[in-house]
Amino acid sequence: MRRNIVAGNWKMNKTFQEADDLINEISEGLDDISIKNVEIILCPPFPFLEMTTDYAQESNFSVGAQNVSSYEAGAYTGEISAQMLQSIDVEYCIIGHSERRKYFKETDEILTLKAEMLLKCGIIPIFCCGEELPEREAGNHFNVVKTQLETALFKLDPLDFGKIVIAYEPVWAIGTGVTASSDQAQEMHAYIRSLIIEKYGKETAKNTSILYGGSCNAKNAKELFANPDVDGGLIGGASLIAEDFLKIIQSF
Ligand code: PEP
Protein backbone atom coordinates (compact mmCIF):
# COMPACT_ATOMS: atom_id res chain seq x y z
CA MET A 1 0.00 0.00 0.00
CA ARG A 2 1.41 3.44 -0.94
CA ARG A 3 2.47 5.41 2.07
CA ASN A 4 4.89 8.20 2.89
CA ILE A 5 8.13 6.81 4.28
CA VAL A 6 11.30 8.27 5.73
CA ALA A 7 13.97 5.59 6.12
CA GLY A 8 17.40 6.12 7.68
CA ASN A 9 20.28 4.12 6.20
CA TRP A 10 23.04 4.25 8.81
CA LYS A 11 25.47 2.34 6.57
CA MET A 12 28.62 1.16 8.43
CA ASN A 13 28.49 3.77 11.18
CA LYS A 14 28.19 3.85 14.99
CA THR A 15 29.38 1.66 17.84
CA PHE A 16 26.86 -0.16 20.03
CA GLN A 17 26.76 2.69 22.57
CA GLU A 18 26.49 5.37 19.87
CA ALA A 19 23.69 3.43 18.18
CA ASP A 20 21.87 3.12 21.50
CA ASP A 21 22.20 6.87 22.08
CA LEU A 22 20.94 7.74 18.59
CA ILE A 23 17.91 5.46 18.82
CA ASN A 24 17.11 6.95 22.22
CA GLU A 25 17.33 10.48 20.87
CA ILE A 26 15.14 9.63 17.88
CA SER A 27 12.57 7.81 20.08
CA GLU A 28 12.34 10.73 22.49
CA GLY A 29 12.17 13.18 19.62
CA LEU A 30 9.33 11.24 18.01
CA ASP A 31 7.37 11.48 21.27
CA ASP A 32 7.62 15.26 21.08
CA ILE A 33 6.67 15.94 17.45
CA SER A 34 3.47 15.48 15.54
CA ILE A 35 3.97 12.90 12.84
CA LYS A 36 1.72 13.40 9.87
CA ASN A 37 1.00 10.39 7.79
CA VAL A 38 4.55 9.07 7.53
CA GLU A 39 6.15 5.74 8.37
CA ILE A 40 9.63 5.92 9.87
CA ILE A 41 12.17 3.14 9.32
CA LEU A 42 15.58 2.85 10.97
CA CYS A 43 18.15 0.69 9.15
CA PRO A 44 21.12 0.23 11.48
CA PRO A 45 24.03 -2.21 10.93
CA PHE A 46 23.31 -5.90 11.65
CA PRO A 47 24.75 -6.02 15.22
CA PHE A 48 22.30 -3.34 16.36
CA LEU A 49 19.16 -4.69 14.72
CA GLU A 50 17.84 -6.61 17.70
CA MET A 51 18.34 -3.67 20.04
CA THR A 52 16.49 -1.50 17.51
CA THR A 53 13.57 -3.91 17.15
CA ASP A 54 13.35 -3.97 20.98
CA TYR A 55 13.10 -0.17 21.03
CA ALA A 56 10.59 -0.26 18.18
CA GLN A 57 8.10 -2.12 20.36
CA GLU A 58 7.74 1.00 22.49
CA SER A 59 8.26 3.58 19.78
CA ASN A 60 6.84 4.88 16.58
CA PHE A 61 9.23 3.41 14.00
CA SER A 62 9.87 0.22 12.08
CA VAL A 63 13.20 -1.51 11.55
CA GLY A 64 15.02 -2.41 8.37
CA ALA A 65 18.26 -4.24 7.58
CA GLN A 66 20.77 -2.98 5.02
CA ASN A 67 21.38 -6.27 3.28
CA VAL A 68 20.37 -9.94 3.20
CA SER A 69 21.81 -13.12 1.75
CA SER A 70 20.52 -14.46 -1.54
CA TYR A 71 20.84 -17.95 0.01
CA GLU A 72 18.28 -19.53 2.27
CA ALA A 73 20.47 -21.21 4.94
CA GLY A 74 23.55 -23.38 5.43
CA ALA A 75 27.27 -23.21 4.69
CA TYR A 76 27.55 -19.55 3.67
CA THR A 77 30.01 -18.14 6.21
CA GLY A 78 29.35 -14.54 7.13
CA GLU A 79 25.91 -14.34 5.51
CA ILE A 80 22.67 -13.25 7.18
CA SER A 81 19.46 -14.90 6.00
CA ALA A 82 15.99 -13.44 5.57
CA GLN A 83 14.73 -15.97 8.10
CA MET A 84 17.21 -14.67 10.70
CA LEU A 85 15.96 -11.13 10.10
CA GLN A 86 12.37 -12.28 10.37
CA SER A 87 13.14 -14.01 13.68
CA ILE A 88 14.12 -10.67 15.26
CA ASP A 89 11.12 -8.79 13.83
CA VAL A 90 12.87 -6.90 11.07
CA GLU A 91 10.17 -5.63 8.69
CA TYR A 92 12.16 -4.03 5.85
CA CYS A 93 15.46 -4.61 4.07
CA ILE A 94 17.38 -2.36 1.68
CA ILE A 95 18.59 -4.20 -1.41
CA GLY A 96 20.58 -3.00 -4.39
CA HIS A 97 22.13 0.05 -2.78
CA SER A 98 24.70 1.49 -5.19
CA GLU A 99 27.47 0.89 -2.65
CA ARG A 100 26.63 -2.83 -2.63
CA ARG A 101 26.38 -2.89 -6.42
CA LYS A 102 29.80 -1.18 -6.67
CA TYR A 103 31.89 -2.70 -3.86
CA PHE A 104 30.24 -6.12 -3.53
CA LYS A 105 29.36 -6.72 -7.17
CA GLU A 106 25.65 -7.15 -6.47
CA THR A 107 23.90 -7.69 -9.79
CA ASP A 108 20.23 -7.28 -10.67
CA GLU A 109 20.01 -11.09 -11.01
CA ILE A 110 21.20 -11.50 -7.39
CA LEU A 111 18.74 -8.82 -6.34
CA THR A 112 15.81 -10.83 -7.70
CA LEU A 113 16.89 -13.72 -5.45
CA LYS A 114 17.25 -11.41 -2.46
CA ALA A 115 13.82 -9.89 -3.05
CA GLU A 116 12.29 -13.37 -3.27
CA MET A 117 14.00 -14.51 -0.04
CA LEU A 118 12.73 -11.45 1.81
CA LEU A 119 9.18 -11.69 0.50
CA LYS A 120 9.02 -15.37 1.48
CA CYS A 121 9.77 -14.26 5.05
CA GLY A 122 7.29 -11.39 5.01
CA ILE A 123 10.01 -8.70 4.88
CA ILE A 124 9.50 -5.74 2.55
CA PRO A 125 12.40 -5.05 0.19
CA ILE A 126 13.40 -1.41 -0.31
CA PHE A 127 14.85 -1.70 -3.81
CA CYS A 128 17.41 0.95 -4.77
CA CYS A 129 17.98 1.99 -8.35
CA GLY A 130 19.67 4.93 -9.99
CA GLU A 131 22.15 6.05 -12.60
CA GLU A 132 25.81 7.11 -12.40
CA LEU A 133 26.79 10.65 -13.41
CA PRO A 134 28.21 9.75 -16.87
CA GLU A 135 24.98 7.89 -17.61
CA ARG A 136 22.92 10.98 -16.82
CA GLU A 137 25.28 13.22 -18.75
CA ALA A 138 24.88 10.93 -21.75
CA GLY A 139 21.09 11.18 -21.41
CA ASN A 140 20.89 7.48 -20.61
CA HIS A 141 19.46 7.72 -17.08
CA PHE A 142 15.95 6.57 -17.95
CA ASN A 143 17.27 3.49 -19.74
CA VAL A 144 19.58 2.58 -16.85
CA VAL A 145 16.77 2.70 -14.29
CA LYS A 146 14.41 0.85 -16.63
CA THR A 147 16.93 -1.98 -17.06
CA GLN A 148 17.53 -2.22 -13.30
CA LEU A 149 13.80 -2.48 -12.62
CA GLU A 150 13.09 -4.88 -15.46
CA THR A 151 16.01 -7.19 -14.69
CA ALA A 152 15.66 -7.32 -10.91
CA LEU A 153 12.02 -6.70 -10.05
CA PHE A 154 9.70 -7.17 -12.99
CA LYS A 155 10.13 -10.93 -12.70
CA LEU A 156 8.09 -10.89 -9.50
CA ASP A 157 4.45 -11.85 -9.64
CA PRO A 158 2.00 -8.96 -9.17
CA LEU A 159 1.17 -9.89 -5.58
CA ASP A 160 4.83 -9.84 -4.56
CA PHE A 161 5.65 -6.73 -6.57
CA GLY A 162 2.80 -4.94 -4.84
CA LYS A 163 4.70 -5.17 -1.53
CA ILE A 164 7.95 -3.60 -2.78
CA VAL A 165 9.18 -0.11 -1.89
CA ILE A 166 11.39 1.55 -4.51
CA ALA A 167 14.11 4.09 -3.77
CA TYR A 168 15.41 6.18 -6.66
CA GLU A 169 18.95 7.11 -5.71
CA PRO A 170 21.00 8.83 -8.40
CA VAL A 171 24.52 7.63 -7.59
CA TRP A 172 26.00 11.08 -8.21
CA ALA A 173 23.84 12.46 -5.39
CA ILE A 174 24.69 9.87 -2.74
CA GLY A 175 26.93 11.26 -0.02
CA THR A 176 28.09 14.09 -2.29
CA GLY A 177 26.02 17.01 -1.04
CA VAL A 178 24.67 17.36 -4.58
CA THR A 179 20.94 16.69 -4.55
CA ALA A 180 18.80 15.97 -7.59
CA SER A 181 16.63 18.98 -8.26
CA SER A 182 13.00 18.70 -7.35
CA ASP A 183 12.17 18.51 -11.08
CA GLN A 184 14.76 15.80 -11.76
CA ALA A 185 13.41 13.72 -8.88
CA GLN A 186 9.77 14.13 -9.93
CA GLU A 187 10.60 13.37 -13.57
CA MET A 188 12.31 10.07 -12.70
CA HIS A 189 9.72 9.05 -10.11
CA ALA A 190 6.91 9.66 -12.60
CA TYR A 191 8.84 7.62 -15.17
CA ILE A 192 9.28 4.73 -12.70
CA ARG A 193 5.56 4.85 -11.96
CA SER A 194 4.80 4.77 -15.69
CA LEU A 195 6.94 1.62 -16.04
CA ILE A 196 5.00 -0.01 -13.21
CA ILE A 197 1.72 0.93 -14.93
CA GLU A 198 2.92 -0.76 -18.14
CA LYS A 199 3.99 -3.93 -16.34
CA TYR A 200 1.55 -4.32 -13.45
CA GLY A 201 -1.26 -1.85 -14.13
CA LYS A 202 -2.53 1.43 -12.73
CA GLU A 203 -3.70 0.18 -9.36
CA THR A 204 -0.33 -1.37 -8.43
CA ALA A 205 1.53 1.72 -9.63
CA LYS A 206 -0.73 4.00 -7.62
CA ASN A 207 -0.03 1.92 -4.51
CA THR A 208 3.77 1.72 -4.83
CA SER A 209 5.84 4.00 -2.58
CA ILE A 210 8.79 5.52 -4.44
CA LEU A 211 11.37 7.22 -2.21
CA TYR A 212 14.09 9.65 -3.19
CA GLY A 213 17.65 9.19 -1.88
CA GLY A 214 20.80 11.21 -2.40
CA SER A 215 21.93 14.06 -0.12
CA CYS A 216 18.38 14.60 1.08
CA ASN A 217 18.55 16.72 4.23
CA ALA A 218 16.58 18.89 6.63
CA LYS A 219 16.78 21.84 4.21
CA ASN A 220 15.72 20.24 0.93
CA ALA A 221 13.36 17.46 2.07
CA LYS A 222 10.21 19.59 2.05
CA GLU A 223 10.63 20.63 -1.59
CA LEU A 224 11.48 17.09 -2.71
CA PHE A 225 8.61 15.47 -0.79
CA ALA A 226 6.11 18.00 -2.17
CA ASN A 227 6.31 16.32 -5.58
CA PRO A 228 3.29 14.15 -6.43
CA ASP A 229 5.39 11.06 -7.19
CA VAL A 230 7.94 11.40 -4.36
CA ASP A 231 6.64 9.44 -1.38
CA GLY A 232 9.46 10.21 1.02
CA GLY A 233 13.16 9.58 1.31
CA LEU A 234 15.94 7.11 1.96
CA ILE A 235 18.33 9.16 4.04
CA GLY A 236 22.03 8.39 4.57
CA GLY A 237 24.23 10.99 6.27
CA ALA A 238 21.39 13.08 7.70
CA SER A 239 19.88 10.03 9.42
CA LEU A 240 22.91 9.85 11.74
CA ILE A 241 21.96 13.12 13.46
CA ALA A 242 18.71 12.85 15.40
CA GLU A 243 17.80 16.53 15.05
CA ASP A 244 18.21 16.47 11.25
CA PHE A 245 16.40 13.16 10.85
CA LEU A 246 13.47 14.42 12.93
CA LYS A 247 13.28 17.58 10.80
CA ILE A 248 13.14 15.47 7.65
CA ILE A 249 10.31 13.43 9.15
CA GLN A 250 8.43 16.69 9.75
CA SER A 251 8.84 17.74 6.11
CA PHE A 252 5.51 16.25 5.05
C1 PEP B 1 22.07 6.50 0.87
O1 PEP B 1 23.17 6.03 1.07
O2 PEP B 1 21.09 5.76 0.70
C2 PEP B 1 21.94 7.95 0.84
C3 PEP B 1 20.87 8.47 0.33
O3 PEP B 1 23.01 8.65 1.36
P1 PEP B 1 23.09 10.24 1.58
O4 PEP B 1 21.78 10.70 2.12
O5 PEP B 1 24.20 10.43 2.56
O6 PEP B 1 23.38 10.84 0.25
Side-chain angles (χ1 to χ4, degrees), residues 75-96:
Y76 301 103
T77 302
E79 288 290 271
I80 308 279
S81 72
Q83 212 178 14
M84 290 174 191
L85 298 177
Q86 180 189 35
S87 71
I88 55 164
D89 300 324
V90 168
E91 291 174 79
Y92 291 87
C93 182
I94 299 169
I95 58 169

Side-chain angles (χ1 to χ4, degrees), residues 29 87 98 105 122 125-126 143 156 169 175 186 189 222-223 250:
S87 71
S98 64
K105 310 289 171 250
I126 302 175
N143 275 336
L156 298 175
E169 299 208 304
Q186 168 57 25
H189 283 229
K222 207 176 185 77
E223 193 186 344
Q250 290 173 284

